[in-house]
Each structure stands twice: as C-alpha cells, then as structure tokens.
Amino acid sequence: MSDDPLYRDPELVDFYDLENGVWDDFGFCIELARDARSLLDLGCGTGQLAAMSADGQRRVAGVDPAAAMLEVARKRDGGDKVRWVEAPAETVRLGEKFDLIMLTGHAFQVFLTDEAISAVLTTIAAHLEPEGRFIFDTRNPLCQEWREWVPDTSQRIVPHPVYGDVKAWNDVAFDDATAIATYQTFYEIAATGKTLSASSQIRFMGKPRLEALLAEAGLRADRWLGDWKGEPFHEQAKEIIPIGRLG
Ligand SMILES: C[S@@+](CC[C@H](N)C(=O)[O-])C[C@H]1O[C@@H](n2cnc3c(N)ncnc32)[C@H](O)[C@@H]1O
C-alpha cells in the first residue's frame, strides 16, 4: 500500500533498517546480477540492495513511492551511483530497459488487488531487455506465516542507536476472502514515553494465480524457488520466488 506509515513516516522509517538487515535475498540477487549491466529495483525501500549492487559501471535504478525511504537510500554508501525515482511501480515508466528487475523484501505483497499486481507485472515486462530476467518473492499462503504476527510470538527488542532498547510487537487480522493480512506494528520507546504504531496491509497469493497473472502480462518463470537459499518451490515452502523473463 503506497500510503503505509511504516514507509512514509520518518520516525517509523528509522526502524526499517534496524529490523531488516542484509538477508539471503540480497546475497542471491547480487549473485544473479553478476553479469547484468543494468538493474532495476522496484519497491527499493531504503535502497540497500540497489546501493550494494551499484559499482559505478552498470546502470542501477531504484523505484519507490515513499519519499522517506528514498531519503535514507540517497544518503547511504553507494547511493550516489543509483538513479532513485519516487513513483509507484504500477505506473512508472523510466524509458530504459534492464538486464535484471528485482522486487525484494516481499515488496510484491504490498499490491493488494489483481489490477495492481497486473500493472506491476506489466511495468516489469515494459522494462525488460529482450534477454532480461526478473525475480521477486512473495510468502507462500499455505504456510500461514501471518499466524506468528501476534503479540505473544512477535515480541522483540530492537536496539536503537538513540533510544536504546525499544520493545516491538505486531498484531494481525487475516481476511480469508481476500487473502489480505492487516497487521499492526508497535514500537514502545521507553526513552520518550511514546509508542509509535502503524497499520499495514499485504496480500498473500498462491502460485497458480501468480502463474496466470505472469502469463497475462507476457512473462513466464523458468524457475520457481521456495527460499532464498535456492531450494526449488514445493507446497510447504516458505516463499514463492519466480525467476523469469519475457514470455
Ligand atoms: C517491505 S518494503 C521492501 C523494501 C526493499 N525492497 C527491501 O528489500 O528492503 C516494501 C516497499 O514497498 C514500497 N511500496 C509501497 N507501495 C509501492 C508501490 N505502489 N510501488 C512500489 N513500491 C511500493 C514501500 O514504500 C516499501 O519501501
């Protein structure tokens, strides 16, 4: 959702990199991008992956509609080597094609309707070089990961450089009809006596529907992974990760 305070409110954005380090997805994408001369990161957020991938030789662009996320991206090491574009992935048109297009960190799940997902897939198709590839991740609905996003199992301490230890937790409601999880994120900052919170929505889409929408957008997956270590997809896999091209 483009207006999610988690990505729009600078106080909450402050917590994004503290909660989301460099995981297997970045390592996998960097390896996949080894020979790519041009990279597009859609829903790039605070720009870690795009900035890590930019070596000053290849063309790298990062697209995200959240100004506060891009503000962090611009300032990070390597941020000056990336073209940052503040725009929604559904409609952005950069007038360039790319060897690799990536959406990481489950950015794909912020698109809540079939129309929005089709628009994003069309954006991917419009920006791929003839031999270019795309990759993204979406959580497998069959694993019902949202069930863990309740206060009991989600409580954690986030060490903040200014506020010290901050207590964080989530809560969630899942709508079976739409497969949309509406989840709350809370940060209780003892140092200021303030609790920050946000309500966010993400959609869970199964592989069969995703496959159909890819085909409608003129894309096809050559490989389906089930995690970022490179295991093939299976019914109980945590992730659904298509790696594909123009179809
Ligand atoms: C969970 S974050 C992932 C960020 C980054 N890809 C990563 O791996 O850390 C989801 C991102 O999707 C972005 N987003 C929300 N609506 C979007 C849209 N319509 N088009 C593109 N990105 C969007 C948010 O602003 C946020 O930066």
Side-chain angles (χ1 to χ4, degrees):
M1 212 168 41
S2 292
D3 56 356
D4 189 331
L6 267 188
Y7 311 124
R8 295 281 178 170
D9 175 349
E11 280 193 300
L12 286 162
V13 167
D14 213 19
F15 283 89
Y16 186 84
D17 285 347
L18 299 175
E19 290 245 63
N20 299 278
V22 173
W23 303 108
D24 291 342
D25 53 350
F26 289 1
F28 192 97
C29 286
I30 285 171
E31 182 57 28
L32 191 68
R34 213 159 26 135
D35 300 324
R37 290 151 305 162
S38 49
L39 298 176
L40 172 58
D41 187 353
L42 284 176
C44 63
T46 59
Q48 287 204 80
L49 176 59
M52 281 166 72
S53 308
D55 58 4
Q57 307 288 315
R58 50 163 61 138
R59 237 179 337 110
V60 182
V63 170
D64 201 288
M69 297 292 268
L70 291 180
E71 189 60 24
V72 176
R74 282 193 189 94
K75 288 186 191 145
R76 69 169 64 255
D77 273 359
D80 55 335
K81 300 186 181 70
V82 178
R83 175 184 174 194
W84 303 109
V85 179
E86 188 182 320
E90 298 94 314
T91 52
V92 70
R93 292 295 178 272
L94 299 176
E96 300 174 41
K97 305 242 181 204
F98 295 86
D99 288 333
L100 182 64
I101 301 180
M102 329 173 269
L103 288 92
T104 58
H106 307 109
F108 187 79
Q109 291 187 251
V110 306
F111 306 107
L112 302 181
T113 61
D114 280 11
E115 291 70 29
I117 291 173
S118 293
V120 173
L121 296 177
T122 301
T123 295
I124 292 175
H127 289 86
L128 273 180
E129 289 282 7
E131 296 304 319
R133 286 188 292 173
F134 69 84
I135 183 165
F136 60 82
D137 59 349
T138 185
R139 296 175 185 87
N140 185 358
L142 298 176
C143 287
Q144 305 192 341
E145 194 181 313
W146 63 84
R147 288 181 179 277
E148 294 162 24
W149 305 342
V150 289
D152 267 2
T153 47
S154 65
Q155 264 201 46
R156 58 203 177 271
I157 297 295
V158 182
H160 188 283
V162 176
Y163 303 135
D165 283 354
V166 172
K167 188 171 138 191
W169 70 97
N170 300 98
D171 209 348
V172 71
F174 186 77
D175 179 26
D176 288 312
T178 57
I180 290 174
T182 302
Y183 67 96
Q184 276 71 45
T185 307
F186 299 93
Y187 295 108
E188 189 181 279
I189 307 173
T192 62
K194 202 167 156 185
T195 299
L196 306 177
S197 65
S199 180
S200 312
Q201 289 190 305
I202 55 174
R203 177 170 173 191
F204 287 72
M205 178 173 278
K207 181 168 173 278
R209 183 75 191 126
L210 186 51
E211 228 163 347
L213 291 180
L214 284 173
E216 276 175 27
L219 299 170
R220 77 179 150 81
D222 309 320
R223 290 168 71 193
W224 293 88
L225 304 182
D227 65 30
W228 281 107
K229 296 192 191 317
E231 281 298 308
F233 175 79
H234 55 92
E235 289 288 293
Q236 284 79 43
K238 259 187 98 170
E239 307 280 348
I240 304 174
I241 305 175
I243 305 177
R245 55 185 76 241
L246 290 167

